[in-house]
Amino acid sequence: MIYWQIFLAFFIPGILGYGGGPASIPLVEKEVVDRYGWMTTQEFGEVLALGNALPGPVATKMAGYIGYTEGGILGSAVALFASVAPSLILMIALMVTLLKYKDSPKVKNITKMIRPVIAVLLGAMALQFFMTSYDTSGSIQTIVLVIISYWLLEVRKMHPAYVILMALAYGALTGFF
């Protein structure tokens, strides 16, 4: 019975919490504190603070912790699955629908129209990153990093993760001086 309660405590907020983790936190609190009484508001606030302090989505970290405290390892797995299940189910349903109509001229046209929009959004984000780097690090350092990154990615065909790690290391080293 406890596993079903854990599942419902995180599945229902996942369905109703439009906007992801932060939007579903009050709904999770309502379930965990008010409905099932697994913890007090103070304890829930501490779990929320801990979840915010760690990297990654808050809702899944909270689900894992609360599920573990109430049902052990299996409870943690149930809560974690319940918190991602609504999105997972919706994505699978949309993918099945998309694959069913993938040869339709309308779907192909939609895909053609989305690509330029995504390219513009990524370009705008890259320009914003470039301008922020230019303002904080200076023009010479920014231009050198852009040229070296381009050379590593396009000429040397290095994986982007390695380029990012090298840039992080460079930033950490220059931060000390």
Side-chain angles (χ1 to χ4, degrees):
M1 186 67 174
I2 187 69
Y3 298 115
W4 179 246
Q5 291 174 339
I6 291 171
F7 180 82
L8 289 178
F10 291 97
F11 185 76
I12 293 170
I15 291 173
L16 301 175
Y18 179 77
S24 67
I25 298 300
L27 301 171
V28 172
E29 180 184 17
K30 184 76 174 161
E31 295 292 315
V32 169
V33 175
D34 297 338
R35 184 170 182 191
Y36 294 110
W38 292 332
M39 54 181 50
T40 65
T41 303
Q42 174 70 27
E43 292 169 331
F44 186 84
E46 291 170 3
V47 171
L48 178 59
L50 180 63
N52 278 321
L54 298 171
V58 175
T60 54
K61 290 180 285 195
M62 291 181 65
Y65 176 79
I66 295 168
Y68 182 78
T69 58
E70 295 304 314
I73 293 173
L74 183 58
S76 179
V78 168
L80 187 59
F81 175 73
S83 69
V84 299
S87 298
L88 183 68
I89 292 167
L90 184 60
M91 286 181 65
I92 290 171
L94 289 172
M95 195 59 160
V96 166
T97 305
L98 185 62
L99 289 174
K100 182 178 178 183
Y101 297 106
K102 72 179 180 183
D103 295 326
S104 163
K106 290 180 181 179
V107 171
K108 287 183 178 183
N109 197 31
I110 289 171
T111 304
K112 273 194 257 180
M113 295 301 137
I114 289 175
R115 284 184 183 151
V117 172
I118 292 172
V120 168
L121 290 172
L122 289 172
M125 185 177 66
L127 181 63
Q128 185 180 16
F129 286 162
F130 180 81
M131 296 308 292
T132 302
S133 175
Y134 181 83
D135 291 341
T136 58
S137 300
S139 61
I140 294 172
Q141 195 164 321
T142 300
I143 291 169
V144 168
L145 282 171
V146 168
I147 291 169
I148 291 172
S149 297
Y150 180 81
W151 180 76
L152 289 171
L153 290 168
E154 297 300 322
V155 176
R156 296 285 315 266
K157 302 294 184 196
M158 187 177 284
H159 193 278
Y162 295 128
V163 176
I164 292 169
L165 286 174
M166 289 191 308
L168 285 171
Y170 176 74
L173 288 174
T174 57
F176 288 120
F177 303 111

